[in-house]
Structure formats: C-alpha cells, structure tokens
Amino acid sequence: MKPASTGTGRFGNWLENMVDWNLSRSRYWGTPLPIWKNGVHNLEVCIGSVEELKQKGYLFNKQKFVEDYKNPATNLAFKITNFYDNHPDLHKRNTDYSKIFSTSLQHLYILVSIDIRFDIIKEYLSPLSEIADLDLHKPYVDDFILIEGDKILTIVPDLVDVWFDSGAMPYAQWHFPFENKEIFAQNFPADFIAEGVDQTRGWFYTLHALGVLLFDSVAYKTVVSNGLVLDKNGNKMSKRLGNVIDPFETINKYGADATRWYLITNASPWDSLKFDIEGIKEIQRKFFGTLYNTYQFFALYANVDGFAFKEKYIPVKERPEIDQWVLSCLNTLIKSVQQSLDEYEPTQAGRAIEEFVDAHLSNWYVRLCRRRFWKGEYEQDKICAYQTLYECLQTISQLIAPIAPFFADWLFNNLNAVSNKFKENSVHHTNFPKTNEETIDKALEERMQLAQDICSLALSIRKKVKIKVRQPLEQLLIPIDLKFFIPIKKVEELIKSEINVKTIKVVDPLQTEFKMKLEPKFELLGKKLGKRMKIVKKWADTMNLSNDKTYQTQISLLNNDNEVAKIYIKNEEPQMHLVWHNSNFLPNLQMKNMMILSK
C-alpha cells in the first residue's frame, strides 16, 4: 500500500480490530438481498442469476389488483374475504386490502398468506421472462414474486450494503462468472487501485473481503491511497471560502499536460497537495518551455542540414565522450523511471525526467555542443550530435507520455514525421523504452557530475565575490580528497572552459594551511541576537582560525542551520578567497564543498 504507513497503520489497525460485517441495510433504493421467503411455510430461496430469476419469477401488477379490488364487478374483494373467512388463522377479517396493497411493502406479506388460493391472484402475475428490461433495484424488485409449487415467496425487505456493490466491482465489470471467464482470470487480482484515504475501511476492505470469500485471494496487489487537494495556503477548498479552483478553467487556460505534470510532480499522490496556479506556470516555463526550446534548437539546425536519421546508426562507443555521457544518463533515466513507476512512485519518475531535461540535456549537453550543430561540415561529428540529440528527444517523448500525453504525442510525431523510425502513428502505440545496459557508463556519469558540481560551485563563488566569468583567472584550487584527482584531471579542460580559468590544482585539505576569517551573516544573526551581535562580531574577529578539527567543530556549532553565517577563508597569497558553499564542513575533514578561486 502506498504509503506504507497507511497499510501498516490505518488499514492494519482496522483489520486487527475488525468485527463481523452486517450485510443488510434498511434503505428505500439499492441492490436487494436476492432472498425470497414464505414465512408461513418456512421457505427460503436464494436466486443466483438473472436467468434463474426469470425462470421462477413473476411481476405482480399491484395497481391492477387494487383497482379490481375496489371494483365490485370483479368479485375480487368477495373472493379474498371468503378465503379468510375459511382461514381465520391467516389474517384478520374486515381488512381493507386496497389500502394495504397501495402502501409500503405490506402487500408482499399478505400475498404469502393467500398462497393456498394461488388462482385468486394468478391473473395479476406476468412471467419475468416476458419482460425485456428488468430493474433489479429496490423498490422495483418488491413486486417480483417466486412460485415454488403452490407456494408464493416474496423478497426480504432489506437490501445489500452499498460497499458490497463496490467490493463486487472486479466481477461485475466482466459479468463474471456468466461471461468473460478468461478475461477475468487475466485481470484478477488487479495490479493496483487508487482511491482516497477515507476508503481504507470501505472499498479497500470490501474488495479483499469478497476476494478472500470467493477465491481465497486478495483482490488487488497494490493500492495508492490518494491525498487531498488543498488551496495554496493548505486549507480545504470550499465554495463558502471562495478558494475553489475550477479544473476545467485551469485546463483550458494552462493545458492538460502542464496541470497533470504539476499534480504528479509537486507532491506524492498520497500526500495532500497545496494547489497553486503559480506552480503550473512554473512547470510550463521551466520544464515544457525548456523541452520545447531544446526541440526547436534541434529542428532548426536539422532542417538546415537536412538531417532525417537516414545515415547508418553510429555506435555509441564511436561517438565523442559528451555523446556517450548523455546517452548513458538517458539510459540511467529510463531505468530510474521504470523502477519508480513499477513501485508506484510517479512523483520520483517525473522529477527525474525534469532533472535530466534541465540539468543534463539542455543546460549541459546542448549548451556545450552548440558549435557542433552550427559549425563545420556535415560529417561524422555533426551526425553523432544529431543522432544523439534525436535519440534523447524521442526517448523523452515516450517517457513523459503517461503524464503529459498531448505534448508527448506532439513531440513524437514531429520527430517521426521526418525520420519514419516508427510505423506507429502515436507515441501511445509504441512500447515503453527499455534500458540499454551496454550504453551505461557509471564512471563517466560520475566524473561529468563532478565537473558540473565544480563548475556550479566555482561560478557561485565568482558571483559572491563579484568577479564576472568573462574575466579570466589564473588558477582554481580545489581542496578535496585526492581520490578525485584522476576524475577531475579527465574533465579538466571542460571545467577550465566553463569557469574561465587557466589552470586547475587539486590540493589535499589536510596538508594545506589557510589563514581564515569568519564573517557573521549580519542580516540573519542580527534579527536573532539584537544588541548581542557586537559580542559575536568581536568573537569572530579574534578567533584563531585554522583548518583543524577544533575549528571545524566551532564553525559547525555556529553554522548548524546552514543559514547563520558566511565563512570566508583567505590564503596568505593576496586576493585568494575560499568560500564555504554550505554547512557540510564536518569534523571528519571531508571538505567536499570547498573552493579556492584565485586571480
């Protein structure tokens, strides 16, 4: 069950304290208990199918019976009165049957008392087999009677709990066991069901109850317990409060795909979602906008060069490393998305796709490979770039199809209209992508991720110390575990190009001495400390800082919420600054987030 806490908690507690299920209910309308009785002769019959009911059942024309009873010409009143004169044990005399038969269900109980004189009422009965459309709900079935020999049986007054109807859904939808036995066997138990958490003691339970009763089997393998959609402030939506969002208006304005993607990726289905229109706008801009622009970039240059994927497929190992990297990430993504969907984690799947499109495909691969598309002759390097980006876009269209069906189909058909790689006319007719394990290179992914992290940190340091990227720097010092020396060396040229430095030097943080200065973050500490801020400032100025364990513990105490202090560390060389990027400066001296940026 998703979430697991609902299965072991709410649902588990319900099962542990479960009592007998009282199936019958006293209601006006609903599914009747299929039991007909004759209390006088202690007879009971349970009907198992519509066909059996038609064979044994009759429709009692109550309206005509009442009319004839009131009409002296029919002699019906005399026959009934005379019958009860001869059988005083069955009913009281002088009863106005016209009133009884025209109200409630009492006529059914009276009928059982005149079963000995079945001929009195047989002209008011019509075989159910002659009636085309039978409404099998109460109160209509109250006029259905059964004939067993010369005995009349009437249906019991109660109906079935509506949750029994819900629990019978797997069988009712296939008209099992009367039809579709093979189809039912293929679909039972269900792979998963989804409903609100309030169904824990309702539908979730009754499905299993009937499944165990009939087949000694669960009715479903997985259940996704949906949370609530709240307004952006976390309040329940209500017309009275005026915070209701019209879904049709939202879809018409922002599109079904953006709305669906927002609902899926914003929060797990079982968590309550704070619905904010601004979130859909952000999805449109950051995800669909980025993906659309990536496709437009590809289409622009592919049309100029006449690329239609007609060339022989170039093996991945023969392509440049950047192509190998993005295809490795793509196949890792396929595996991750497949696993997440198999585990009923659509939020994780959607977020993984978002990260790939934004961080890997658009802001790294396309940005670094721009020149390959618009420079040079139409030769192998350019063809590799086209084939790689095409494969990424085509696969993305298939991965997003379950969540964003319309955009996925648009993207797929635009690509396939030129390449004709698929015979299918829709992405929804194609098979879900499968992982090519041979394409995955974890070492390559890790060192490229290392390059991305280093570039991100270095650029953030440039921004903090207000040194623009176009200004070249002499050296980048990276205090980091020396095991990263070789991976960094392999992506050195890429890093130097991205952050505009001439050389990169990896140093052992344990062997490198720095003179350091601690500068409190006044805008945050000032609010908390007020006048005491002067004491903290004086303490920070007089601290004897070094990169030993004692100092790190002191910094950790000051900076334990990651927002308390900025840390600047100055080397003896002029204009060399070290900035702690976050509070992951742990006592074990693993300084993974340290950077030295030098002029």
Side-chain angles (χ1 to χ4, degrees):
M1 178 174 278
K2 292 287 188 174
S5 57
T6 301
T8 57
R10 185 182 177 115
F11 194 47
N13 294 336
W14 162 253
L15 293 177
E16 288 177 1
N17 299 285
M18 182 177 56
V19 296
D20 291 340
W21 182 10
N22 182 6
L23 267 181
S24 62
R25 294 289 186 275
S26 296
R27 302 287 187 275
Y28 175 75
W29 186 94
T31 302
L33 288 167
I35 300 173
W36 274 257
K37 296 180 66 173
N38 183 310
V40 175
H41 297 281
N42 198 25
L43 294 176
E44 285 188 4
V45 173
C46 182
I47 297 297
S49 67
V50 176
E51 188 63 31
E52 183 182 0
L53 179 62
K54 287 185 175 181
Q55 291 175 2
K56 298 181 178 180
Y58 295 84
L59 174 64
F60 174 62
N61 192 336
K62 181 174 64 175
Q63 182 178 355
K64 187 175 185 300
F65 184 94
V66 172
E67 291 175 354
D68 286 354
Y69 184 86
K70 293 179 178 179
N71 184 0
T74 62
N75 208 27
L76 177 61
F78 173 77
K79 292 180 180 178
I80 293 178
T81 302
N82 184 57
F83 175 79
Y84 283 108
D85 283 342
N86 297 325
H87 300 84
D89 57 315
L90 296 179
H91 207 278
K92 295 180 180 179
R93 292 192 57 187
N94 301 321
T95 301
D96 187 349
Y97 293 97
S98 63
K99 292 181 179 179
I100 294 177
F101 278 82
S102 61
T103 60
S104 69
L105 302 175
Q106 294 187 52
H107 71 280
L108 295 176
Y109 307 118
I110 295 171
L111 278 177
V112 302
S113 68
I114 55 177
D115 52 10
I116 299 174
R117 293 289 299 274
F118 172 62
D119 60 308
I120 295 178
I121 63 163
K122 64 180 180 180
E123 62 181 284
Y124 302 99
L125 302 179
S126 301
L128 294 180
S129 58
E130 297 177 358
I131 301 175
D133 297 318
L134 294 178
D135 191 330
L136 300 178
H137 296 92
K138 272 185 170 289
Y140 309 104
V141 294
D142 292 340
D143 291 332
F144 297 175
I145 66 172
L146 301 186
I147 305 298
E148 289 287 324
D150 60 352
K151 306 297 187 297
I152 296 175
L153 290 81
T154 58
I155 195 167
V156 297
D158 291 333
L159 49 78
V160 179
D161 183 0
V162 293
W163 290 114
F164 185 93
D165 288 359
S166 300
M169 178 277 298
Y171 327 104
Q173 69 173 340
W174 299 114
H175 198 214
F176 179 86
F178 307 104
E179 294 180 276
N180 305 311
K181 291 184 178 180
E182 292 184 3
I183 298 177
F184 171 78
Q186 294 169 0
N187 291 277
F188 185 86
D191 288 329
F192 93 103
I193 62 171
E195 250 294 359
V197 68
D198 55 315
Q199 297 298 323
T200 302
R201 289 170 288 182
W203 194 41
F204 298 164
Y205 167 70
T206 57
L207 280 169
H208 276 338
L210 268 67
V212 172
L213 178 66
L214 296 173
F215 299 103
D216 196 24
S217 167
V218 295
Y220 50 86
K221 301 173 185 176
T222 302
V223 54
V224 176
S225 177
N226 299 333
L228 300 175
V229 179
L230 310 174
D231 72 5
K232 63 181 180 181
N233 298 317
N235 300 316
K236 285 188 176 181
M237 293 189 184
S238 166
K239 291 183 179 179
R240 179 179 59 83
L241 297 176
N243 60 352
V244 175
I245 302 294
D246 186 336
F248 299 104
E249 181 181 329
T250 302
I251 290 172
N252 289 334
K253 187 172 183 179
Y254 301 103
D257 284 346
T259 304
R260 287 163 61 97
W261 196 275
Y262 170 74
L263 291 171
I264 289 294
T265 60
N266 187 266
S268 295
W270 43 88
D271 293 330
S272 292
L273 169 69
K274 294 181 180 180
F275 189 90
D276 190 352
I277 291 295
E278 293 302 317
I280 301 181
K281 293 179 181 179
E282 185 177 3
I283 290 295
Q284 282 183 317
R285 183 179 67 257
K286 292 187 65 176
F287 177 66
F288 288 102
T290 300
L291 186 54
Y292 176 81
N293 290 336
T294 303
Y295 166 74
Q296 287 293 89
F297 170 83
F298 168 80
L300 174 64
Y301 292 105
N303 289 333
V304 170
D305 289 321
F307 174 77
F309 221 119
K310 302 303 180 185
E311 298 82 8
K312 182 179 178 182
Y313 184 81
I314 300 173
V316 175
K317 297 300 181 182
E318 297 178 13
R319 302 187 194 185
E321 187 175 73
I322 190 75
D323 293 348
Q324 295 182 37
W325 165 76
V326 77
L327 291 176
S328 176
C329 291
L330 179 67
N331 280 275
T332 299
L333 174 68
I334 294 172
K335 179 187 287 188
S336 173
V337 170
Q338 182 69 66
Q339 181 179 350
S340 295
L341 294 180
D342 287 345
E343 295 174 355
Y344 301 93
E345 295 279 359
T347 304
Q348 294 182 13
R351 289 175 179 177
I353 296 171
E354 286 180 347
E355 182 183 8
F356 175 84
V357 169
D358 181 49
H360 298 331
L361 186 62
S362 174
N363 290 328
W364 196 252
Y365 178 78
V366 172
R367 187 169 57 80
L368 296 180
C369 293
R370 282 184 180 274
R371 293 178 61 87
R372 297 173 63 195
F373 290 93
W374 55 266
K375 283 282 189 179
E377 300 296 325
Y378 190 67
E379 296 176 348
Q380 177 156 329
D381 182 67
K382 180 176 281 193
I383 294 172
C384 286
Y386 277 127
Q387 289 189 355
T388 300
L389 187 51
Y390 178 97
E391 189 171 343
C392 289
L393 289 171
Q394 171 211 291
T395 305
I396 288 297
S397 73
Q398 294 174 294
L399 291 177
I400 68 174
I403 307 176
F406 302 106
F407 189 92
D409 217 30
W410 172 84
L411 178 58
F412 174 85
N413 285 326
N414 280 3
L415 295 168
N416 199 50
V418 177
S419 68
N420 293 313
K421 288 177 65 67
F422 289 87
K423 295 180 180 179
E424 292 82 359
N425 295 322
S426 170
V427 67
H428 306 294
H429 296 163
T430 65
N431 292 326
F432 201 73
K434 292 185 178 180
T435 304
N436 183 354
E437 295 287 351
E438 296 180 357
T439 305
I440 297 179
D441 186 340
K442 281 298 180 184
L444 175 57
E445 288 186 43
E446 289 173 0
R447 70 173 176 267
M448 194 64 77
Q449 186 62 53
L450 184 62
Q452 287 179 287
D453 292 342
I454 291 173
C455 290
S456 176
L457 289 171
L459 291 173
S460 70
I461 294 172
R462 274 185 173 273
K463 184 177 180 180
K464 287 180 179 179
V465 296
K466 299 180 181 179
I467 301 176
K468 295 183 178 180
V469 179
R470 66 170 176 262
Q471 180 180 346
L473 298 175
E474 183 63 33
Q475 190 177 54
L476 171 70
L477 295 182
I478 309 176
I480 197 170
D481 195 312
L482 292 182
K483 70 180 181 180
F484 294 103
F485 177 80
I486 294 178
I488 291 175
K489 198 68 178 175
K490 289 183 178 181
V491 291
E492 180 179 6
E493 294 303 317
L494 177 58
I495 297 172
K496 289 193 294 186
S497 173
E498 280 294 289
I499 63 176
N500 197 8
V501 295
K502 296 179 181 180
T503 60
I504 295 177
K505 185 178 180 180
V506 178
V507 297
D508 186 345
L510 300 180
Q511 302 299 323
T512 306
E513 290 293 332
F514 299 101
K515 287 186 177 179
M516 308 176 190
K517 179 183 178 182
L518 177 64
E519 182 177 300
K521 202 168 184 178
F522 292 98
E523 62 270 26
L524 291 178
L525 282 176
K527 296 178 181 179
K528 297 180 179 180
L529 301 177
K531 294 180 179 180
R532 292 174 294 171
M533 188 66 232
K534 292 181 180 180
I535 301 174
V536 175
K537 176 67 170 63
K538 184 177 180 180
W539 167 80
D541 290 341
T542 57
M543 273 193 71
N544 181 21
L545 302 181
S546 62
N547 57 330
D548 61 18
K549 187 172 182 179
T550 303
Y551 160 67
Q552 293 166 38
T553 303
Q554 291 172 337
I555 295 299
S556 177
L557 290 173
L558 179 65
N559 200 30
N560 57 8
D561 63 359
N562 199 26
E563 288 292 340
V564 174
K566 287 180 180 176
I567 303 175
Y568 288 89
I569 303 176
K570 294 187 177 181
N571 190 281
E572 289 183 352
E573 297 181 33
Q575 297 182 342
M576 293 192 65
H577 308 280
L578 178 68
V579 179
W580 246 274
H581 187 65
N582 58 31
S583 64
N584 292 334
F585 189 29
L586 304 176
N588 60 10
L589 303 179
Q590 293 180 354
M591 295 178 278
K592 294 183 179 179
N593 290 313
M594 291 175 58
M595 281 282 158
I596 295 180
L597 192 64
S598 64
K599 286 186 178 180

